Amino acid sequence: MTKEDVYKRFETAKARKHEALRRMKERLEDDSFCDFLRQQSNSLSYEEA
Amino acid sequence: MKKLDLNKINGSAPYKIVYVEQDSSYNFITDSGIVYSVMFIDDDLVQSGESYQFIIYNKNNRKSPRDKKLRDTIATIIHEFFQQNNVALLYICETGDGKQAFRSRLFQAWFAAWDSEWYVCKSTSFIDNDGIENYVSIIIRDDNPVRSQIIAEFQEALDKLGEKP
């Protein structure tokens, strides 16, 4: 395994991470989804869990 | 990657998890109103065994100081991930805002508080060609049949990344 190989793999890993984060950000910009999460969280208390 | 059992997660996670099929993410909101999204994606930094990358996103970009429910919720998701998948899991700290050292410390503190005798965690850092310090952790189950090879390959890879050009 050469340094170049590892560097390429690491850069690929970071690029995949950034792409996943971009998709997450895009989805969470939708306020209705966050409202849905809020409603869901109200249906279960810590004690119940 | 085998799908996680959402009922099992919600049976013990302090925060209620909502799974989104569209991007295979696990989402929740904390008591202080911070929205988190968690995802596992394919990874091939380590090739001695199957590996994935753990991604966590804090929508509000606010800290959750001493929120044990947050720590325990993440632990429950990761524990279920390892129940279903005896693979390696990498966490690469985001460097865009310069807070990677904080993220690494937090991740290690969370790991230390988990039921960690079932897992091996190795964390390391290196300075890349742009002079940026990168923090990377790997977690594997203690009974992973290729545990030693994965750890050795991870260390070798990170040592190479840290070599001066």
Side-chain angles (χ1 to χ4, degrees):
Chain A
M1 153 167 76
T2 66
K3 183 179 177 180
E4 286 67 33
D5 290 338
V6 182
Y7 219 91
K8 207 179 279 178
R9 279 193 235 158
F10 188 70
E11 288 304 313
T12 303
K14 284 212 301 192
R16 283 178 179 160
K17 181 191 173 104
H18 288 145
E19 175 56 21
L21 284 168
R22 190 194 60 75
R23 278 185 280 130
M24 281 169 158
K25 281 179 191 170
E26 204 174 273
R27 181 170 44 73
L28 292 173
E29 272 172 14
D30 179 0
D31 286 339
S32 62
F33 178 72
C34 296
D35 289 342
F36 174 67
L37 273 184
R38 248 171 237 117
Q39 285 165 15
Q40 289 292 308
S41 68
N42 291 335
S43 67
L44 185 78
S45 72
Y46 188 41
E47 287 70 30
E48 285 167 18
Chain B
M1 180 186 135
K2 288 184 196 151
K3 204 172 168 182
L4 313 193
D5 184 337
L6 193 62
N7 290 330
K8 220 162 126 190
I9 294 175
N10 277 325
S12 52
Y15 290 128
K16 176 81 178 280
I17 307 294
V18 173
Y19 178 70
V20 175
E21 191 89 45
Q22 184 193 340
D23 59 1
S24 308
S25 64
Y26 299 85
N27 304 266
F28 59 96
I29 187 163
T30 68
D31 290 339
S32 51
I34 300 174
V35 173
Y36 282 92
S37 193
V38 165
M39 204 186 267
F40 300 93
I41 60 171
D42 288 343
D43 194 84
D44 57 8
L45 180 64
V46 170
Q47 300 190 327
S48 311
E50 196 178 345
S51 70
Y52 293 87
Q53 201 182 141
F54 172 73
I55 314 264
I56 179 167
Y57 173 61
N58 171 338
K59 185 205 172 191
N60 309 79
N61 200 22
R62 289 202 321 259
K63 288 182 184 172
S64 305
R66 292 177 287 281
D67 185 348
K68 286 184 181 169
K69 291 165 71 172
L70 167 63
R71 181 194 71 194
D72 292 348
T73 299
I74 298 296
T76 304
I77 296 170
I78 290 184
H79 185 66
E80 171 58 15
F81 170 84
F82 277 114
Q83 287 290 306
Q84 301 292 342
N85 304 279
N86 196 355
V87 297
L89 186 62
L90 277 112
Y91 175 56
I92 301 173
C93 298
E94 182 57 32
T95 56
D97 57 4
K99 294 178 182 169
Q100 59 270 35
F102 166 77
R103 288 192 181 95
S104 178
R105 281 197 303 275
L106 180 65
F107 188 75
Q108 286 177 60
W110 280 352
F111 179 79
W114 298 343
D115 194 8
S116 52
E117 72 260 30
W118 296 99
Y119 306 108
V120 179
C121 178
K122 188 154 182 58
S123 298
T124 188
S125 67
F126 70 93
I127 295 174
D128 65 21
N129 291 346
D130 299 321
I132 295 169
E133 187 145 36
N134 289 265
Y135 291 80
V136 189
S137 295
I138 191 166
I139 304 179
I140 50 177
R141 265 169 50 175
D142 197 41
D143 64 351
N144 188 311
V146 285
R147 185 186 75 161
S148 307
Q149 292 96 310
I150 289 173
I151 294 282
E153 191 192 352
F154 174 76
Q155 191 56 61
E156 189 189 346
L158 272 293
D159 286 348
K160 281 204 182 335
L161 287 170
E163 282 172 7
K164 295 265 180 274

